[in-house]
Amino acid sequence: MDLHVLDSSDDACFVCANILSDYLKTTPQAKLGLATGGTPEAVYRSIIDHKVDFSQVRTFNLDEYIGLPENHPQSYRAYMEKHLFSKVSIATENTYFPIGGGYDLRIKTVGGIDIQLLGLGSNGHIAFNEPGSSFNSKTRRVKLAPQTIQDNSRFFEPGELQPVEAFTMGLATIMQAKQILLLVTGQHKAEILKRVFDGPVSEDCPASILLNHSNVKVIADKAAAEYLTACV
Ligand code: F6R
């Protein structure tokens, strides 16, 4: 894995956005895999600033909650509309979420994902592949780990119904992306990022599967990279 450590989370997001925007400028028909959550919000802000043409781009999101209406503010489609889709020239029919089946086939049919943006869960999950997920897993319905429910409770009002299940891209699906950007920011991710880097590659730490991918850039801020030694 190719590690890039930046001074701040904004800088890390900026670097990520530059990589994605540069790719889109040379590859207008790019297929992008996208993440939600707190980490990539600034990436999307910066991509919008680049004024990239999204008219031929197709996007595949990593996951979607089960049990929330599509227009619920915490659905991942609503998140993407708010942070990116409503601000760029993308057609809704070119934006895909893993609901309704046939997701892996759809990705394969368009030629696969060119660049997959990933965040890292504090328990080592990528997408909603929680610890114990099979490395052979495809897109499917999953139960969220208690840690994930706890981490994501910050996005829900007190007393509001919070989903405990989701559809997620599988680990095998993610590994088929041609390039992966793992964006990790904040001191609270430092321990798990070290675990990912040090291995072992194990289903106990789903993100460790990325050690087996030949084209992964880890873009981290100093806080998240605190326990790593090899810095670029
Ligand atoms: C989101 C996703 C998750 C998040 C992870 C980190 O689509 O797939 O794996 O990337 O939970 O979330 P944040 O960025 O909120 O810390």
Side-chain angles (χ1 to χ4, degrees), residues 169-180:
M169 223 187 251
L171 291 169
T173 318
I174 291 170
M175 287 295 279
Q176 280 164 8
K178 289 160 199 143
Q179 181 176 0
I180 291 177

Side-chain angles (χ1 to χ4, degrees), residues 32-175:
L32 296 185
L34 298 179
T36 58
T39 315
E41 286 182 15
V43 175
Y44 298 133
R45 277 201 296 278
S46 181
I47 289 178
I48 293 161
D49 290 345
H50 279 84
K51 303 203 182 309
V52 182
D53 177 16
F54 269 79
S55 59
Q56 299 177 73
V57 174
R58 287 171 205 239
T59 62
F60 293 86
N61 265 81
L62 285 169
D63 31 32
E64 180 57 284
Y65 284 127
I66 292 173
L68 293 181
E70 219 179 60
N71 60 355
H72 188 285
Q74 295 310 330
S75 80
Y76 284 166
R77 175 164 290 279
Y79 172 107
M80 290 308 306
E81 285 294 337
K82 177 178 170 191
H83 293 288
L84 184 69
F85 296 162
S86 64
K87 294 170 179 154
V88 295
S89 54
I90 197 161
T92 303
E93 61 265 29
N94 289 342
T95 63
Y96 303 97
F97 286 77
I99 43 178
Y103 205 55
D104 291 1
L105 183 60
R106 188 179 291 278
I107 292 171
K108 199 171 165 193
T109 306
V110 300
I113 288 174
D114 298 313
I115 306 188
Q116 174 68 61
L117 177 61
L118 293 178
L120 178 64
S122 66
N123 62 356
H125 75 210
I126 46 175
F128 279 141
N129 295 285
E130 304 287 17
S133 298
S134 165
F135 281 169
N136 296 320
S137 56
K138 300 287 175 63
T139 300
R140 67 204 187 285
R141 183 177 180 142
V142 292
K143 288 194 189 332
L144 302 180
Q147 181 67 53
T148 300
I149 295 169
Q150 163 77 36
D151 288 349
N152 287 353
S153 64
R154 71 193 195 279
F155 296 114
F156 292 83
E157 300 296 332
E160 193 181 5
L161 185 70
Q162 187 184 347
V164 295
E165 287 186 280
F167 289 108
T168 182
M169 223 187 251
L171 291 169
T173 318
I174 291 170
M175 287 295 279

